[in-house]
Amino acid sequence: MKTLRFQDAFWDNSPPGEPLDYRRAPSKLYVEAQHGANECDEVLEFLQERLRIEQSYANALGHLARKQPRPSGLGRNEGATLRKAFEGLVAECARLAD
């Protein structure tokens, strides 16, 4: 089993050939923490954009689900198979919008 030493840690940023100096560790930790915060911000921005897109999509589907068959088309024949398929499509849009 390998014994961990300070120089094995990621925060040892001593230049090659210089002795190890624990006082450099806080600045390295700060840089790593800032990098982690930047990564989290990037994921958050991505998810916020996806939320906007999905909300827009849901709104469009909700609008589409309110469409009624035209009297000159599917509205003429209430028992027709195509009319039932259309009603299924409208119901699916309403379900997805929710």
Side-chain angles (χ1 to χ4, degrees), residues 56-90:
S56 175
Y57 179 60
N59 290 340
L61 285 175
H63 177 72
L64 185 61
R66 291 189 288 277
K67 272 201 178 268
Q68 297 294 316
R70 289 179 283 198
S72 63
L74 293 169
R76 278 183 69 188
N77 201 351
E78 292 183 17
T81 304
L82 189 56
R83 165 79 185 251
K84 293 296 181 190
F86 177 77
E87 290 170 355
L89 289 171
V90 169

Side-chain angles (χ1 to χ4, degrees), residues 6 10 15 18 29 32 34 36 39 42 56 63 68-71 74 78 85-86 88 91-92 95 98:
F6 182 79
F10 77 94
E18 286 195 23
L29 287 174
E32 292 300 320
Q34 189 61 46
E39 289 176 334
E42 188 174 351
S56 175
H63 177 72
Q68 297 294 316
R70 289 179 283 198
L74 293 169
E78 292 183 17
F86 177 77
E92 178 71 5
R95 185 185 68 76
D98 287 340

Side-chain angles (χ1 to χ4, degrees), residues 3 27-28 30 46-47 49 54 57 59-60 64-65 68-69 74 84 86:
T3 303
S27 64
K28 179 63 176 175
Y30 176 79
F46 177 88
L47 291 174
E49 180 64 21
E54 289 192 15
Y57 179 60
N59 290 340
L64 185 61
Q68 297 294 316
L74 293 169
K84 293 296 181 190
F86 177 77

